Amino acid sequence: APGDAARLTAFAAGQELGSTTGADSGERVTTAMDASQTNLTVVARVTALEQTNSLAKAGVLMRASREANSPMVLLAVLPSGQVQLRSRTSVGGATTSVAVPLPLLPANPPALPRWVKLTRAGTTFTATTSVDGEHWSAGVARTLDIAWGTEYHVGAAVTSRDNAKYTRAQIE
């Protein structure tokens, strides 16, 4: 139940989640667990995201290692309420992004909160979103050839998209 969820309030500054510049990436990642399963679903609700930049982000992250430039899959909410699925398949490689459509119901939702669900089934990652936790989008699926090793890291991630400003996000 939503009332039973853990709540994380994070502050972060920096350029981008998915940057390849190591410590300068400016992200704030809180690892909730180290996973070894090839099938895993992570659900979170982003209830607040301060708009320090239109590309500030908060969401859930699966990453091959704790290094900022490692292969990763990120499902993130922007201050506008738009949702992106971002991925990088190799160490230091380029990050690609695709928009995740909102569900049809309810109509004209507010920008936040947004529920995000990231599912890994082997090499296929599916991203869905919801505005109420009941009605989910059709989702976006991508097959990614990522060398995860025997363990990978799963958690919440936040960035302000501005080195000079901290943003605050709340994730449940």
Side-chain angles (χ1 to χ4, degrees), residues 31-37 40 63 66 150-155:
T31 302
M33 63 186 251
D34 293 333
S36 59
Q37 302 97 326
L40 178 70
R63 184 183 273 175
R66 294 187 192 277
T150 58
E151 192 171 89
Y152 60 101
H153 310 281
V154 179

Side-chain angles (χ1 to χ4, degrees), residues 99-116:
V100 178
L102 295 177
L104 299 176
L105 294 171
N108 303 314
L112 293 174
R114 281 288 183 269
W115 291 81
V116 292

Side-chain angles (χ1 to χ4, degrees), residues 7-13 46-52 56-58 79 112 158-160 165-171:
R7 179 174 292 151
L8 169 71
T9 301
F11 295 87
V46 177
T47 58
L49 176 58
E50 187 176 22
Q51 185 168 342
T52 52
K57 295 173 184 64
L112 293 174
V158 177
T159 187
S160 70
K165 297 179 183 175
Y166 279 85
T167 193
R168 182 186 67 82
Q170 194 165 56
I171 303 170

Side-chain angles (χ1 to χ4, degrees), residues 21-84:
T21 57
D24 296 333
S25 66
E27 63 193 27
R28 170 76 173 139
V29 176
T30 300
T31 302
M33 63 186 251
D34 293 333
S36 59
Q37 302 97 326
T38 55
N39 300 324
L40 178 70
T41 297
V42 179
V43 179
R45 182 170 70 150
V46 177
T47 58
L49 176 58
E50 187 176 22
Q51 185 168 342
T52 52
N53 183 292
S54 63
L55 296 176
K57 295 173 184 64
V60 294
L61 177 71
M62 294 182 187
R63 184 183 273 175
S65 76
R66 294 187 192 277
E67 298 300 319
N69 67 348
S70 75
M72 60 88 182
V73 179
L74 168 71
L75 181 56
V77 179
L78 282 66
S80 65
Q82 293 177 320
V83 180
Q84 291 182 346

Side-chain angles (χ1 to χ4, degrees), residues 41-44 60 75 83 85 100-103 114-119 125-130 135-141:
T41 297
V42 179
V43 179
V60 294
L75 181 56
V83 180
L85 176 64
V100 178
L102 295 177
R114 281 288 183 269
W115 291 81
V116 292
K117 183 187 321 183
L118 182 58
T119 301
F125 294 82
T126 304
T128 56
T129 187
S130 173
H135 302 93
W136 291 86
S137 67
V140 172

